[in-house]
Amino acid sequence: MIRELVDYFKFEQVTGNEESLNRWVIVPDLNRPGLELAGFFKENETRRIVIIGDKELAYIETLDKATQYERFKIITDAYTPMIVFSRNREVPLALIEVADEMNFPIFKSDLPSYRLMVDLVSFLDERLAPSDSLHGVLISVFGKGVLITGESGMGKSEIALELIRRGHVLVADDRVDVSKVHNNLIGHSPELLQGMLEIRGIGIIDVAKMFGASSLLAKDNIDVVIKLEKYDDKMDYARVGIEEDKYTNILDINIPTIILPVKEGRSMAVLVESAVTNFQLKEGGFNSAKEFEERVLRYIEQQNNANKGAQSE
């Protein structure tokens, strides 16, 4: 609802009553109605918030009152959520009269047009972003958002606890709410579970009280997925690391995925740290597995050359 926008940006309301604030915004985009004010309405997206700045006002002043009425009635239709004037500019009287007839909400902002548009689009992108909920733990490890997934009882929360003790930062435990913003995945905890960690045999613990406020993040990007699986000696797990890269598709974005087998005696927190460090090295262009493969190939070539030399003697 536009009520949330008005409360957040502290807009000054010029027209419309309380009921007018119940209109919905469903398109994360804005409209500066130059062509509409000129009378061209083909391909017009009426569901966008309208921003009127100095250029639009200068053009409006060139129109006679009858033309203003005609154009204003179209840009204040039932699908348009609201109109905002930048720099606290005065709203034309003809537009006020049209808006009053339709109980249409018009607001003023002290922000310049470009700043108003950037702030509104950022706000709408976040609020209207596609979202999903995932079962897992989201934790920031060495500055990377790591989503730890796996079946219930795999020890995800216990691994998170050990990582927090080692200085890393918790975002969400058990349920991670994910939004797609600007082609990035941003995860956060539901308000009810924020800052809480469930440890089997202990119960719910308050992470901030146990480890300090710096042990929590409100939200973080999801950069890599670490999937925990029960160790199976029949499975062919990655050993060298030159195998084909794996991905998890979340909201149509492929996130690099590392599979870690869980087995007694393995320090999973250390393995997660090592996996993230290796992931960062790959991002920086250094691939340990490729380096090892090249080393093996060089060794084989040297051995072949040595054998050829021995044979020629």
Side-chain angles (χ1 to χ4, degrees):
M1 287 185 186
I2 66 173
R3 187 185 304 276
E4 186 181 356
L5 274 170
V6 174
D7 291 341
Y8 183 84
F9 288 100
K10 307 301 180 187
F11 291 146
E12 177 188 344
Q13 188 166 0
V14 180
T15 65
N17 58 20
E18 277 292 311
E19 185 181 348
S20 71
L21 300 181
N22 293 331
R23 287 174 175 243
W24 288 92
V25 183
I26 60 174
V27 176
D29 198 3
L30 307 174
N31 179 28
R32 295 195 69 173
L35 290 173
E36 290 87 342
L37 291 172
F40 184 83
F41 297 98
K42 190 176 181 180
E43 305 294 335
N44 179 37
E45 172 56 82
T46 58
R47 297 173 297 174
R48 295 180 293 174
I49 292 174
V50 171
I51 304 295
I52 294 183
D54 291 341
K55 288 182 179 179
E56 290 80 12
L57 277 173
Y59 181 76
I60 289 170
E61 291 174 356
T62 67
L63 303 175
D64 59 69
K65 196 167 184 179
T67 303
Q68 288 185 26
Y69 269 105
E70 176 192 341
R71 307 286 160 77
F72 291 154
K73 283 185 177 180
I74 296 176
I75 66 171
T76 57
D77 68 7
Y79 294 101
T80 304
M82 60 195 286
I83 295 176
V84 185
F85 281 75
S86 62
R87 296 184 186 274
N88 281 325
R89 298 306 190 211
E90 291 300 318
V91 181
L93 289 176
L95 180 54
I96 291 177
E97 291 176 10
V98 170
D100 284 341
E101 291 176 8
M102 304 175 64
N103 192 27
F104 183 90
I106 298 176
F107 304 91
K108 293 198 293 185
S109 169
D110 58 359
L111 295 173
S113 298
Y114 76 92
R115 185 74 259 171
L116 178 61
M117 295 179 72
V118 169
D119 290 353
L120 275 172
V121 168
S122 297
F123 181 90
L124 293 173
D125 269 345
E126 186 168 333
R127 290 296 190 278
L128 301 178
S131 61
D132 198 0
S133 292
L134 305 174
H135 178 65
V137 174
L138 180 58
I139 190 164
S140 177
V141 179
F142 300 133
K144 291 293 182 182
V146 181
L147 177 65
I148 303 175
T149 66
E151 295 178 6
S152 181
M154 295 293 292
K156 297 183 291 295
S157 297
E158 288 79 2
I159 294 171
L161 178 61
E162 182 61 25
L163 288 169
I164 294 166
R165 291 182 68 246
R166 297 170 71 91
H168 304 292
V169 187
L170 177 71
V171 180
D173 177 49
D174 191 47
R175 179 181 135 187
V176 183
D177 289 344
V178 183
S179 300
K180 180 180 176 182
V181 180
H182 300 307
N183 214 35
N184 290 320
L185 292 181
I186 299 176
H188 66 276
S189 172
E191 186 176 355
L192 181 65
L193 304 177
Q194 196 165 26
M196 299 299 174
L197 197 62
E198 181 186 1
I199 305 298
R200 293 175 188 270
I202 298 176
I204 304 294
I205 65 173
D206 189 314
V207 173
K209 288 184 178 178
M210 289 188 70
F211 301 100
S214 60
S215 61
L216 284 178
L217 266 180
K219 58 184 177 181
D220 198 11
N221 286 348
I222 298 177
D223 300 303
V224 60
V225 173
I226 292 183
K227 184 178 180 182
L228 305 180
E229 290 187 354
K230 290 181 181 179
Y231 184 84
D232 184 351
D233 55 10
K234 297 179 181 178
M235 287 288 292
D236 185 21
Y237 294 110
R239 295 177 63 88
V240 178
I242 58 176
E243 297 81 0
E244 184 179 349
D245 292 336
K246 295 180 175 60
Y247 296 91
T248 299
N249 188 279
I250 305 172
L251 295 174
D252 294 327
I253 295 180
N254 287 327
I255 303 298
T257 299
I258 301 165
I259 296 177
L260 287 184
V262 177
K263 186 180 181 182
E264 290 181 7
R266 305 190 92 195
S267 177
M268 298 307 299
V270 172
L271 290 176
V272 169
E273 286 182 329
S274 301
V276 173
T277 301
N278 197 48
F279 172 74
Q280 289 178 309
L281 288 172
K282 283 185 178 180
E283 281 191 322
F286 180 80
N287 190 321
S288 302
K290 292 295 183 184
E291 177 71 17
F292 178 71
E293 183 184 29
E294 290 172 6
R295 188 183 300 179
V296 171
L297 291 174
R298 285 196 300 269
Y299 176 79
I300 293 172
E301 185 178 0
Q302 290 170 1
Q303 290 296 106
N304 289 337
N305 290 336
N307 290 335
K308 289 178 181 178
Q311 290 173 359
S312 64
E313 293 177 359

